[in-house]
Amino acid sequence: MPPQRAALAALYARHRPFTVTFGRCGSFPGVLHLVPEPAAPLRALTAAAAARWPSHPPYGGVLGAVEPHLTVANSGGAGVHRRIAAQLTARLPVTARVSRVELVVHEEGRWLPWLGFPLGG
């Protein structure tokens, strides 16, 4: 395993699996997302990687502080997002167990899985 991957595996292995609940929709400009609660464990995972590799901040540092979220839609416009949010809200909350960190890459307009690391515990 390359040293960077080994370092990531060790970093994430220090964090225990946890449960999050998505109980409401939120939005950023052009993005509809679900809001995870609690968000602190997700922030801790991001902060650990950012502290280990400060020259490679999340999203290249262009977004400032990263707010944990689950992207639902990032195209289609506000009207489409409102319709999706109305349909989703009727099906919330959704609870999920987080036991892995999946790193993704943005290629050809799509987010694609790249590497996965289990959380410890």
Side-chain angles (χ1 to χ4, degrees):
M1 178 181 299
Q4 294 86 357
R5 289 186 190 183
L8 281 166
L11 182 142
Y12 292 126
R14 291 192 295 268
H15 294 262
R16 299 188 61 76
F18 55 93
T19 299
V20 295
T21 299
F22 299 95
R24 62 186 174 90
C25 293
S27 64
F28 304 130
V31 177
L32 172 67
H33 63 89
L34 295 178
V35 178
E37 294 177 356
L42 294 162
R43 284 189 187 101
L45 292 169
T46 302
R52 172 63 176 79
W53 290 280
S55 62
H56 299 285
Y59 300 101
V62 298
L63 298 180
V66 176
E67 190 61 36
H69 65 282
L70 175 62
T71 299
V72 175
N74 61 1
S75 64
V80 171
H81 290 189
R82 281 191 297 276
R83 288 192 297 279
I84 293 170
Q87 292 176 9
L88 275 176
T89 299
R91 292 171 172 82
L92 297 177
V94 173
T95 299
R97 184 81 174 148
V98 178
S99 60
R100 293 180 59 79
V101 170
E102 297 291 334
L103 301 182
V104 296
V105 294
H106 194 253
E107 290 181 358
E108 299 177 13
R110 296 177 46 190
W111 290 101
L112 303 169
W114 181 46
L115 297 170
F117 301 96
L119 297 179

